[in-house]
Amino acid sequence: AKAEAEAKAAQEAKAAQEAKVAADKAAAEAQAAKAVAEAEAAAKAKAAAESQAAQEKAAADAQSSAATAAPPAGEGAKYAKASHKYNPTKEGQLAMTKGEFFVVVDDSKNWWVVRNAAGDEGKVPKNYMQIVTADDAAATFPNVASNSVAPAKTNDAPVAAATPSADTVPSAAAKQFKAIAKFEPKKDDQIPLVKGAIYTLIDDSRIWWVVKNENGETGKVPSNYLKEA
């Protein structure tokens, strides 16, 4: 009877041990499944947050581009003509041929962003450009509205332009230019411009050209206020 009791007790102990092992295994599997579910949920949440951030960035970029983009060729657009040929030296720049017309997209820096007749946009050196009227650009951009262009913004003080591929802008001495807007001098070395008056070009190697008026007076003027006569 004692042996039977001991055998029964051993069996019960074994069964209890097996049940405990099974319970521990089930608990471990449940914990692992929970960890996997939590990791998947975290990954989905991260992906959703990244997608939301990307959408918000794209919307902000689109809004920014819309705010800074030049209007299409037509009323309110600003136009410029290349006064010299330019070959790009960096990615993002635009090739120009002398006399080619462009829509001005952004003229707030020394390197302007312009658009050519083919719709290509890129940066060009400001001191290679000359602001023109809508009538001048009409042959290249047929949808322009006449007399819709105002002179480009000019800072009170001259700003040194970034130097393009050549050391200086090619000189165009002895050429005659007509003022397309009135200009009042801000410094002693500048001279006034009278809209419609003719000036002789002396030096165009910088943003501020040196010209001579009909009275023989010489001084600096903003180049984008002049149009070749």
Side-chain angles (χ1 to χ4, degrees), residues 6-146:
E6 290 175 349
K8 183 177 180 181
Q11 290 177 350
E12 289 176 351
K14 182 179 179 181
Q17 182 64 30
E18 291 175 348
K20 183 176 183 303
V21 170
D24 291 343
K25 181 179 179 182
E29 291 175 347
Q31 185 67 25
K34 180 181 178 182
V36 170
E38 290 176 347
E40 291 177 347
K44 289 181 179 179
K46 181 180 179 182
E50 292 176 345
S51 176
Q52 179 71 16
Q55 291 176 0
E56 291 176 351
K57 184 178 184 300
D61 290 345
Q63 184 176 2
S64 176
S65 297
T68 57
E75 186 173 359
K78 188 179 294 184
Y79 304 92
K81 182 175 73 172
S83 56
H84 305 282
K85 178 181 179 181
Y86 178 68
N87 293 318
T89 59
K90 292 183 179 180
E91 185 177 355
Q93 297 178 1
L94 191 65
M96 300 190 300
T97 58
K98 183 177 180 180
E100 184 177 3
F101 290 92
F102 300 86
V103 176
V104 179
V105 177
D106 182 3
D107 63 351
S108 62
K109 298 181 180 180
N110 289 329
W111 287 78
W112 287 3
V113 178
V114 299
R115 182 189 308 127
N116 62 20
D120 300 322
E121 288 188 8
K123 295 180 179 180
V124 297
K126 175 181 179 178
N127 54 347
Y128 275 41
M129 305 302 294
Q130 175 188 335
I131 290 295
V132 298
T133 66
D135 289 338
D136 294 327
T140 302
F141 302 99
N143 296 325
V144 304
S146 179

Side-chain angles (χ1 to χ4, degrees), residues 119-189:
D120 300 322
E121 288 188 8
K123 295 180 179 180
V124 297
K126 175 181 179 178
N127 54 347
Y128 275 41
M129 305 302 294
Q130 175 188 335
I131 290 295
V132 298
T133 66
D135 289 338
D136 294 327
T140 302
F141 302 99
N143 296 325
V144 304
S146 179
N147 300 322
S148 64
V149 181
K153 297 174 291 183
T154 303
N155 297 328
D156 289 344
V159 179
T163 304
S165 56
D167 292 335
T168 58
V169 179
S171 178
K175 285 189 176 180
Q176 301 291 312
F177 287 81
K178 181 171 69 174
I180 61 174
K182 178 181 177 181
F183 170 72
E184 294 294 337
K186 306 294 191 301
K187 293 189 176 183
D188 293 338
D189 61 348

